[in-house]
Amino acid sequence: MKPGYNTNGLAFHRWDDAIRLIAETGYTSVAITVDHYCLNPYAPDLPQQIVAMQELLTEFQLSSVIETGARFLLDPRVKHEPTLVSPSKEERSRRIDFLKHCVDLAAALDSDAVSFWAGQLKQDLPREEALQRLAAGCREVIDYAAAQNVKLAFEPEPGMVIETLSDFRELLTLVDHPCFGLTVDIGHLQCMGELPISQHLLPWRERIFNIHIEDMLKGVHDHLRFGEGEIDFTDVFAGLRQIDYQGGLHVELSRHSHMAPEVLRESWSFLESCLKSA
C-alpha cells in the first residue's frame, strides 16, 4: 500500500508547497484535487503547471491520483454542481467535459486513476431514470479514458445517487468496462453501515483502484481525524491485506486545512503504525 494525502486537506497552501509537505512527511502518494489553485483545466498557464507537477512528482517519487471533488470550480454559487445527474444536458455536459480534462491530466502525470462521483439528484426523478442519466455520462467518460489507458475510480458518496457499494453494483448493470473501478472511502463504509468493513472490501478486490481513509461515525458523514470516530482500523487493515491492496491510501481531511501540518504528521504516524502491525 502507498500511504498518501489529499491536497484538499492543504487548501490554504500553495499546491507546490503542499506536495513538498506531503512528501517530506513520508507519504508516497498524493491525491491531487483539481481546483482553482491547482491544475485548473481552464487556467491559461495549465501547461506550465503540468510540467511543474511532473517535476515535483518525479523529484519526490510520488504516485498520484486525480481527484475531481472541488467544491466551487464549476459553479461559484452551488457546491459540487453541475454533476452527471444535473437536470439539463448542458449542465451534465459541463461535468463530462471537466472529467475529460481530468483524464488528460492523469495521462500527462501517469496517475493511477481519476476519482469521481455521481452527484446529488436535485429534482423529482424516478431512480431508474437517474441511473440511466448517470450511466450515459459514465459511458462517455469511460470511452475517453479507455482510449488513453487511464483508469476511472468511481466513489460511492453518502447523499448522492450512488451512496454504497451495493448501489455501485446496480450501476454496473448499466455500464461496465475494465477501466471502470472504485474509489472506496473507508469512512463512507462506516457512515453507511457497510460493516464489517473488511468483508465489504473482499468482493471488490479486483475493482478497487483508489482508497480514501479517515475516521467517521456510523450514520454521520463527517470526515474525522484518526481516533475521533469509531472505525475498527484493525479490521480495515486486515481487510486490505486480505485483498492484497497495493494502491494509494489517501487521507481525506479537507476541513482540516487550517491545521494541515499538524494533521499531516499525526495521520502519517497513525497510518505508519497500522501498516507495521497489519
Side-chain angles (χ1 to χ4, degrees), residues 22-265:
I22 288 168
E24 290 168 2
T25 303
Y27 297 95
T28 58
S29 188
V30 57
I32 303 169
T33 293
V34 175
D35 211 332
H36 295 285
Y37 54 86
C38 182
L39 298 183
N40 181 349
Y42 312 107
D45 67 338
L46 178 63
Q48 290 82 5
Q49 287 192 47
I50 291 174
V51 171
M53 182 66 80
Q54 289 170 328
E55 291 174 349
L56 274 178
L57 295 179
T58 299
E59 177 184 351
F60 292 110
Q61 297 185 315
L62 290 170
S63 64
S64 64
V65 166
I66 299 297
E67 298 281 350
T68 62
R71 289 179 171 90
F72 295 101
L73 180 59
L74 300 185
D75 188 327
R77 296 172 180 82
V78 187
K79 184 175 74 170
H80 293 325
E81 292 292 326
T83 72
L84 295 176
V85 294
S86 291
S88 73
K89 183 177 181 180
E90 291 74 21
E91 289 172 307
R92 298 193 297 275
S93 292
R94 191 173 176 195
R95 174 61 62 172
I96 290 169
D97 177 72
F98 170 64
L99 293 176
K100 288 179 177 179
H101 281 302
C102 290
V103 168
D104 293 338
L105 289 172
L109 298 175
D110 195 24
S111 298
D112 292 344
V114 173
S115 180
F116 70 110
W117 33 242
Q120 292 182 328
L121 188 62
K122 297 189 174 182
Q123 64 182 138
D124 187 12
L125 191 70
R127 180 167 179 79
E128 183 178 347
E129 291 185 34
L131 288 173
Q132 290 287 350
R133 180 182 292 176
L134 173 60
C138 286
R139 287 189 200 101
E140 187 170 344
V141 179
I142 287 170
D143 288 344
Y144 190 82
Q148 300 193 58
N149 198 31
V150 170
K151 290 183 177 179
L152 298 173
F154 189 98
E155 180 183 8
E157 180 91 16
M160 294 191 178
V161 173
I162 303 297
E163 295 186 285
T164 65
L165 292 173
S166 178
D167 290 341
F168 181 72
R169 191 179 297 279
E170 187 179 8
L171 177 61
L172 283 181
T173 65
L174 300 174
V175 57
D176 195 4
H177 191 279
C179 81
F180 189 52
L182 278 163
T183 287
V184 172
D185 189 302
I186 298 301
H188 294 172
L189 299 184
Q190 180 74 26
C191 176
M192 300 304 295
E194 295 183 279
L195 306 170
I197 288 173
S198 61
Q199 297 309 302
H200 282 79
L201 295 174
L202 187 58
W204 300 101
R205 63 188 306 162
E206 303 298 330
R207 289 273 188 175
I208 300 175
F209 299 158
N210 181 35
I211 285 183
H212 295 167
I213 192 164
E214 66 283 314
D215 217 337
M216 203 169 288
L217 300 170
K218 186 177 179 181
V220 183
H221 185 201
D222 189 8
H223 291 231
L224 304 174
R225 294 158 73 177
F226 296 113
E228 293 184 347
E230 55 191 17
I231 293 177
D232 180 354
F233 285 102
T234 299
D235 170 70
V236 168
F237 280 87
L240 292 171
R241 293 293 190 196
Q242 185 180 20
I243 66 172
D244 192 28
Y245 179 70
Q246 297 181 20
L249 190 68
H250 299 109
V251 178
E252 187 173 44
L253 292 170
S254 63
R255 296 179 182 176
H256 295 75
S257 291
H258 64 289
M259 53 192 308
E262 175 186 347
V263 178
L264 264 175
R265 290 190 298 270

